[in-house]
Amino acid sequence: MYGLKTDWADEPDSRYFTLDSYEGAVARWCPGCGDHAVLTAVQRLCRDEQLEPEKTVFVSGIGCSSRFPHYMKTYGFHGLHGRALPVACGIRARRPDLHIFVATGDGDCCAIGTGHWIHAIHYNMKMVVMVFDNSVYGLTKNQTSPTSALGRRTNTHPRGALLEPVNPVQTTLGIANVSFVAQTPDWSPPHLLATLKAAYRHPGLAFVRILQRCPHYPNPRLEVLQSDSSQMALLTHPDGIVLEESVAKLFKNHVEHDPADLDRARELAGSQDAVPIGLLYRNEAAQRYDLCAAEGMATSRADKIAALKSELSQYRV
Ligand code: SF4
């Protein structure tokens, strides 16, 4: 009928977000810092998934990477040291409609924030947790972090770190109700982007450890990995992080791994032979605390009062 719109699906979307839509303040990380690569990948993810900036929030703690929310033109919460995860869980508990990302570092997550890290994995609330692991406290000028290699010289251990490092991926895989664990290097933009996309699409807490270069306080191990890809094992599987052939062949060493196999994921995470790159574990059926806690949230005020009265009517005062 003339003048009457019958097919609204033909209407162009009135809002299309470009990379500019997500660009916040100019990033003040050191030149060459791996954080710049992650910022670019995240902005591309937001553009590709067309995330509404007003429905997207970045939460961080303290550290170089925790400046992330300032560099995104979305909502953000730059919080206290180690406290990004409880803030993100609180947001998720009340706002199921938001896209939530957490930017945390090896010091922030694996030292002062350890308790929150374990409980957030256990709660499995939907969010993407990016751990920028440069194995050092960079913001406070070179102290040993929980992931610093044994023998690494820092300001706090000038003769070398005394303990074996914590392995964030292996630890996360040991936590009950874990549902998504991946590892990616900041110097492979296609792998980084593909991993973050898989994490964003996961219906639960997606834990992504990013091997992040800090040129100011370089980690010799990452320099070796970057120059010799045979020291990494690219995890391949149709259910994993699928790369174009031209990108996959940049990794010399391929290992077939089904991300549903938790025992094998733990084995690979602890391997001393080659650093696993890709999706170690995914379980979309893991219970989500945000869904359990949301039960009854839509109950009307009248129904709540009626239920309360019925409950109280069982008691005499
Ligand atoms: Fe990046 Fe290291 Fe500089 Fe921090 S100190 S901004 S981690 S290069």
Side-chain angles (χ1 to χ4, degrees):
M1 190 184 301
Y2 180 74
L4 188 62
K5 205 183 295 282
T6 55
D7 190 356
W8 288 88
D10 285 346
E11 280 294 293
D13 194 342
S14 57
R15 297 180 81 195
Y16 180 80
F17 304 111
T18 63
L19 289 176
D20 287 352
S21 311
Y22 305 102
E23 269 179 31
V26 175
R28 287 169 50 200
W29 293 307
C30 305
C33 175
D35 293 0
H36 293 285
V38 184
L39 180 64
T40 303
V42 168
Q43 287 170 343
R44 283 191 60 188
L45 159 73
C46 292
R47 191 269 319 267
D48 292 355
E49 300 288 332
Q50 285 294 290
L51 305 190
E52 311 94 314
E54 74 280 6
K55 291 272 187 191
T56 306
V57 58
F58 285 80
V59 184
S60 66
I62 295 294
C64 291
S65 58
S66 288
R67 295 195 55 78
F68 209 93
H70 299 274
Y71 307 145
M72 293 295 299
K73 208 194 290 171
T74 60
Y75 280 97
F77 190 105
H78 187 177
L80 296 175
H81 204 196
R83 271 55 181 177
L85 286 166
V87 171
C89 289
I91 296 170
R92 172 54 73 217
R94 283 292 139 195
R95 294 295 302 268
D97 57 321
L98 299 184
H99 312 290
I100 302 175
F101 294 81
V102 173
T104 179
D106 44 299
D108 196 55
C109 177
C110 309
I112 191 167
T114 305
H116 299 304
W117 167 28
I118 291 171
H119 289 294
I121 299 295
H122 188 208
Y123 288 162
N124 191 34
M125 294 182 165
K126 177 159 174 50
M127 64 184 72
V128 176
V129 177
M130 302 177 287
V131 179
F132 296 64
D133 189 355
N134 57 12
S135 308
V136 75
Y137 285 91
L139 187 73
T140 46
K141 312 290 176 226
N142 196 28
Q143 289 92 30
T144 303
S145 96
T147 65
S148 297
L150 182 69
R152 178 170 181 172
R153 291 169 189 266
T154 64
N155 288 345
T156 42
H157 293 92
R159 294 186 186 173
L162 300 171
L163 303 174
E164 285 288 348
V166 167
N167 180 330
V169 161
Q170 198 180 25
T171 306
T172 303
L173 286 165
I175 300 171
N177 207 38
V178 58
S179 74
F180 183 109
V181 179
Q183 182 152 262
T184 182
D186 75 37
W187 59 89
S188 173
H191 194 276
L192 179 60
L193 179 60
T195 305
L196 292 175
K197 278 191 180 173
Y200 168 72
R201 291 170 186 165
H202 175 67
L205 189 149
F207 181 92
V208 181
R209 181 196 188 195
I210 301 168
L211 304 174
Q212 181 240 316
R213 292 161 303 164
C214 167
H216 211 71
Y217 306 109
N219 176 349
R221 178 70 178 134
L222 293 192
E223 290 181 341
V224 170
L225 294 184
Q226 196 185 355
S227 61
D228 178 7
S229 75
S230 68
Q231 306 248 348
M232 298 183 282
L234 182 71
L235 305 181
T236 58
H237 194 274
D239 294 335
I241 308 296
V242 180
L243 297 174
E244 281 180 17
E245 208 185 314
S246 57
V247 178
K249 73 180 182 194
L250 297 174
F251 295 84
K252 289 184 189 143
N253 186 10
H254 291 197
V255 172
E256 172 92 2
H257 168 60
D258 180 353
D261 187 343
L262 182 57
D263 290 338
R264 178 77 180 126
R266 288 173 175 155
E267 239 175 72
L268 286 164
S271 164
Q272 300 299 317
D273 303 336
V275 175
I277 297 295
L279 183 58
L280 285 123
Y281 183 63
R282 174 166 52 206
N283 174 14
E284 296 193 352
Q287 270 205 308
R288 278 175 53 188
Y289 193 79
D290 46 337
L291 295 187
C292 305
E295 249 177 61
M297 258 174 79
T299 310
S300 72
R301 187 179 156 80
D303 284 348
K304 279 182 192 164
I305 291 172
L308 202 58
K309 278 187 178 163
S310 136
E311 200 58 31
L312 292 176
S313 67
Q314 302 174 44
Y315 304 98
R316 277 166 194 265
V317 181

